[in-house]
């Protein structure tokens, strides 16, 4: 693998999911809480939300890059990521659903761009073969 273009550093302290996470540059500093659905108090950020936010932003950026290269105007496009946590054997696993909206492109063009974005997005590449990821095109021109 080539040298990293950028490295993000974060530290978890306290009790993991019921603790604190911060980037070493101080840009992100969040208290975390286990979700109510998992028996915790809820009301604070959790790792699945952070993963969903990162995946949505990364996939959206990849989609916009592919669209620019193809000279396609996506309009006011959005990507919504839903990340689920599931029992998996003795531990846990994740799943993700990406809902992509591209009001500036026809369905056929959007489907092609979304498929190409899924090939170049670092989050898609990291999750491929590791977790179930569904990509849905929910609205086009």
């Amino acid at each position: 693998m080539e040298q990293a273009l950028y490295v993000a550093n974060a530290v978890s302290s306290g009790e993991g999911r019921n603790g604190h996470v911060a980037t070493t540059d101080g840009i992100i500093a969040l208290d975390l809480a286990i979700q109510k659905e998992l028996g915790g108090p809820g009301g604070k950020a959790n790792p699945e939300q952070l993963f969903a936010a990162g995946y949505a932003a990364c996939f959206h950026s990849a989609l916009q890059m592919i669209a620019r290269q193809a000279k396609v105007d996506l309009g006011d496009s959005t990507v919504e990521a839903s990340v689920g946590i599931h029992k998996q054997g003795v531990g846990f696993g994740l799943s993700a659903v990406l809902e992509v909206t591209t009001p500036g492109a026809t369905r056929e063009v959007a489907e092609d761009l979304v498929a190409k974005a899924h090939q170049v997005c670092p989050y898609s590449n990291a999750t491929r073969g590791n977790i179930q990821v569904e990509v849905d095109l929910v609205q086009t021109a």
Side-chain angles (χ1 to χ4, degrees), residues 34-67:
I34 295 174
Q35 303 89 312
K36 287 183 180 181
E37 297 83 353
L38 298 179
K44 295 181 183 169
N46 64 66
E48 289 69 38
Q49 290 172 321
L50 298 173
F51 190 86
Y55 203 167
C58 188
F59 194 90
H60 198 198
S61 182
L63 178 62
Q64 290 174 336
M65 178 191 74
I66 295 296

Side-chain angles (χ1 to χ4, degrees), residues 93-107:
L94 298 175
S95 64
V97 177
L98 303 175
E99 293 185 355
V100 181
T101 303
T102 59
T106 65
R107 176 163 285 282

Side-chain angles (χ1 to χ4, degrees), residues 7 17 24 26 33 38 47 50 60 66 79 95 106 111-112 137:
V7 175
R17 287 179 170 271
T24 55
L38 298 179
L50 298 173
H60 198 198
I66 295 296
V79 174
S95 64
T106 65
E111 286 174 350
D112 180 58
L137 185 57

Side-chain angles (χ1 to χ4, degrees), residues 81-129:
S82 301
V83 173
I85 185 168
H86 313 269
K87 283 286 225 173
Q88 182 176 321
V90 296
F92 296 90
L94 298 175
S95 64
V97 177
L98 303 175
E99 293 185 355
V100 181
T101 303
T102 59
T106 65
R107 176 163 285 282
E108 182 180 352
V109 168
E111 286 174 350
D112 180 58
L113 296 175
V114 166
K116 288 176 179 173
H118 196 36
Q119 294 303 308
V120 301
C121 172
Y123 275 66
S124 291
N125 288 331
T127 59
R128 188 171 292 110

